[in-house]
Amino acid sequence: MELASARHLLSAQTTEFLDRTHHQMLIDGAWVPAASGARIEVINPASEEVIATVPAAATQDVEHAVQAARRAFESGPWPKLKPVDRQRLMLKLADLIEGQAQTFAEIESLDNGKSAAIALAVDVGQAIDVLRYMAGWATKIEGTCTQVSVPYMPGAEFLSYTRREAVGVVAIVIPWNFPLMMAVWKLGPALSAGCTVVLKPAEQTPLSALMLGELIQQAGFPPGVVNIITGDGRHAGAPLVRHPSVNKVSFTGSTEVGKLIGHAAVDNMTRFTLELGGKSPVIVLDDCDPTTAAAGAAQAIFFNHGQVCCAGSRLYVHKKIFDRVVADVALIAEQMPMGHGLDPASQIGPLISRPQLDRVCSYIESGIEQGATLIAGGQRSDLPGYYVRPTVMANVNPSMRIMKEEIFGPVLTAMPFDDLDDIAAWANDTPYGLGASIWSNNLSKVNRLIPKIKAGTVWVNCHSVLDPAMPFGGYKQSGIGRDLGKASLESYLETKSVIIAV
Ligand code: ADP
């Protein structure tokens, strides 16, 4: 749907934001263009229309932003703020986001293609919850006081304790699938710990980060504490993560780019957290009600149009109920209304971009070429925008590309299993290890299976359920470190040992 005809569906604040079209970046408390003057077009994936342009940051802009973050970290009001003051600012920001929740949801829908209703409940709702949760940690950062022995210094006495100190300037580089939520997953613990930040949203979805920047200013964060630069990975992301004055990189995105970032970070001994790709299994045991399992499996893969790093993209069902579950998932897929995200009835929106659409479709074609059977979907849509029908494929085997590689679209592969002893090995037969779900009410079987699954999260009778208090991240090539929970906060803190001879 063209923006002109969708305007009546948008709040006044959203139209006011979009009417600005010529957005700037936030560096050192000021809204600025890129030094080069270059700009990037922002496209609505539901209509292929350019809805805004943003600055295309490059090395010089990265330099300004990192220096601003460095100054704010070393001097100025930020390092002098008490934990309770950081907490108060973060809670105020959460309130401001809540006040603009509908606008954020609409912007996210136009920028990313996702459902505005889902964005309101999930993306914006989680951003608010995570900020509030992380604000709470600011006043609870603590070291330990330890009685030491130092046996080789008989008679000496010491007072020994550890201090937790903010790691410093944090570079946050995030993907396009949950733009606001990803930004806050990382901003929350960074600010709570007392760090300063340079945030680079994905080039496809920069708008909610810029709106967030306005609220960061309104909340009263000192200049330079949060800097937001827009630009692509090559010209803005790469110089940012390589900058010697950056102390930590927090990245969510592809495993390929994550590895590049990890290598670059190690050169400077920059700390890093990488939340990367996935190929998460959904395992349905034979005691399961097929209807419940099918609804769960459909939600696990089709939520956010499959553009979820922990999407349940490999379905393994016990052979006793395989045909029934797969037929039900296929029926759900066929019946999911497809359309733009401002339509409350729409359940499947467009993919993020034409390259992503082509990539997903080429995976479907490769599956068919390698002998898989298409049970549902498989086609692009005639609508303008980057739509592909939710797709279910069976007759698959572990050597197929569609079983091995992350597709990042609404494509499910389904395979039967017979022996419970095989299933952990099959589930783990992937370089990834982000999530997995087990569907069963057999407590004993479930609890025997959980320790065998090599994944950062195992869900039982649910999938992709995330909470601010539960750490989220990957085993194996799905990443290093954790977002969310106390584990995340810890990764924005250094530990300093203090030993005082008394
Ligand atoms: P996707 O394949 O989902 O687009 P990417 O891993 O390519 O995910 O991108 C995720 C984020 O990483 C985006 O913000 C992108 O601009 C950024 N990025 C891409 N390449 C690099 C790079 N070489 N260095 C730093 N950031 C990068």
Side-chain angles (χ1 to χ4, degrees):
M1 182 190 241
E2 299 277 311
L3 191 55
S5 35
R7 277 181 178 263
H8 69 283
L9 300 171
L10 302 172
S11 69
Q13 289 90 335
T14 305
T15 12
E16 188 272 322
F17 185 80
L18 288 173
D19 283 344
R20 284 190 241 157
T21 58
H22 207 72
H23 299 275
Q24 308 285 41
M25 309 187 282
L26 182 61
I27 299 181
D28 210 8
W31 291 96
V32 295
S36 69
R39 299 188 71 78
I40 297 177
E41 292 185 335
V42 181
I43 293 172
N44 176 356
S47 63
E48 305 179 45
E49 209 183 349
V50 176
I51 52 169
T53 69
V54 296
T59 311
Q60 206 182 333
D61 308 292
V62 168
E63 187 62 36
H64 287 155
V66 173
Q67 292 310 337
R70 172 58 54 200
R71 278 193 304 277
F73 183 72
E74 303 293 350
S75 53
W78 181 248
K80 296 193 196 87
L81 286 190
K82 302 220 166 353
V84 74
D85 298 323
R86 295 203 302 274
Q87 181 184 57
R88 194 174 298 122
L89 282 173
M90 291 175 70
L91 292 174
K92 178 138 187 233
L93 179 60
D95 290 348
L96 289 170
I97 297 175
E98 198 165 43
Q100 298 277 332
Q102 182 61 27
T103 309
F104 271 110
E106 290 171 5
I107 294 289
E108 217 69 312
S109 173
L110 292 168
D111 202 356
N112 165 282
K114 66 175 63 202
S115 149
I118 298 280
L120 185 65
V122 178
D123 300 57
V124 186
Q126 257 243 347
I128 297 163
D129 289 349
V130 169
L131 260 183
R132 289 184 176 147
Y133 170 83
M134 287 297 171
W137 276 118
T139 52
K140 294 158 198 77
I141 295 168
E142 52 190 23
T144 52
C145 192
T146 308
Q147 279 194 323
V148 296
S149 306
V150 200
Y152 58 85
M153 292 178 73
E157 285 189 28
F158 301 93
L159 168 65
S160 304
Y161 64 93
T162 56
R163 282 172 54 81
R164 306 307 308 275
E165 298 179 353
V167 72
V169 172
V170 179
I172 297 178
V173 178
I174 49 166
W176 41 259
N177 57 344
F178 293 90
L180 176 71
M181 194 174 104
M182 289 292 110
V184 170
W185 275 23
K186 292 161 188 301
L187 259 183
L191 294 173
S192 185
C195 298
T196 59
V197 165
V198 179
L199 163 67
K200 192 199 85 59
E203 52 272 40
Q204 298 88 345
T205 54
L207 297 182
S208 57
L210 296 180
M211 239 186 95
L212 180 67
E214 293 180 5
L215 301 190
I216 284 169
Q217 286 194 300
Q218 264 185 48
F221 283 86
V225 171
V226 180
N227 305 275
I228 302 172
I229 59 169
T230 50
D232 65 17
R234 188 159 148 233
H235 300 95
L240 175 60
V241 300
R242 287 177 184 281
H243 199 293
S245 202
V246 165
N247 304 105
K248 176 182 166 90
V249 179
S250 189
F251 172 78
T252 295
S254 61
T255 295
E256 189 192 349
V257 172
K259 287 182 183 177
L260 292 175
I261 289 179
H263 284 295
V266 167
D267 280 345
N268 293 324
M269 283 301 155
T270 305
R271 283 78 179 112
F272 56 87
T273 299
L274 306 173
E275 198 263 276
L276 309 176
K279 192 74 183 166
S280 301
V282 173
I283 304 163
V284 180
L285 305 192
D286 57 358
D287 67 290
C288 214
D289 166 45
T291 310
T292 311
Q299 183 273 339
I301 181 64
F302 299 135
F303 172 63
N304 213 43
H305 332 145
Q307 300 175 133
V308 180
C309 47
C310 55
S313 50
R314 291 180 293 143
L315 175 62
Y316 297 98
V317 186
H318 191 276
K319 71 172 189 191
K320 253 171 47 188
I321 53 171
F322 179 80
D323 289 344
R324 174 74 201 284
V325 171
V326 172
D328 281 5
V329 178
L331 192 65
I332 295 170
E334 296 289 4
Q335 291 177 345
M336 288 180 99
M338 200 157 75
H340 65 81
L342 298 174
D343 176 356
S346 160
Q347 288 181 14
I348 287 280
L351 300 183
I352 187 69
S353 62
R354 181 153 300 279
Q356 183 64 7
L357 174 67
D358 292 342
R359 200 171 153 266
V360 169
C361 291
S362 83
Y363 272 114
I364 296 171
E365 282 154 28
S366 94
I368 294 167
E369 272 162 28
Q370 291 190 303
T373 310
L374 199 58
I375 312 278
Q379 319 86 27
R380 298 172 189 231
S381 134
D382 299 334
L383 299 167
Y386 312 126
Y387 294 91
V388 62
R389 291 254 22 131
T391 299
V392 181
M393 301 179 102
N395 283 328
V396 293
N397 67 62
S399 66
M400 291 178 178
R401 282 184 60 215
I402 50 168
M403 286 287 282
K404 293 207 298 210
E405 296 173 24
E406 185 180 39
I407 299 175
F408 223 64
V411 180
L412 179 67
T413 55
M415 222 176 128
F417 71 89
D418 190 7
D419 191 342
L420 199 60
D421 289 339
D422 291 336
I423 196 57
W426 289 11
N428 292 332
D429 183 18
T430 165
Y432 296 111
L434 194 55
S437 61
I438 304 169
W439 297 76
S440 170
N441 286 314
N442 186 320
L443 258 182
S444 162
K445 284 182 181 171
V446 168
N447 282 311
R448 279 163 193 261
L449 204 44
I450 291 170
K452 293 182 183 161
I453 302 290
K454 298 196 187 316
T457 302
V458 176
W459 291 282
V460 179
N461 296 329
C462 59
H463 196 104
S464 293
V465 174
L466 302 170
D467 185 86
M470 289 299 284
F472 181 76
Y475 281 31
K476 303 195 286 184
Q477 302 218 8
S478 287
I480 293 180
R482 293 290 179 270
D483 284 317
L484 303 179
K486 191 181 180 194
S488 163
L489 177 85
E490 300 271 345
S491 73
Y492 293 83
L493 294 166
E494 292 281 13
T495 302
K496 180 179 280 173
S497 287
V498 180
I499 302 173
I500 303 171
V502 294

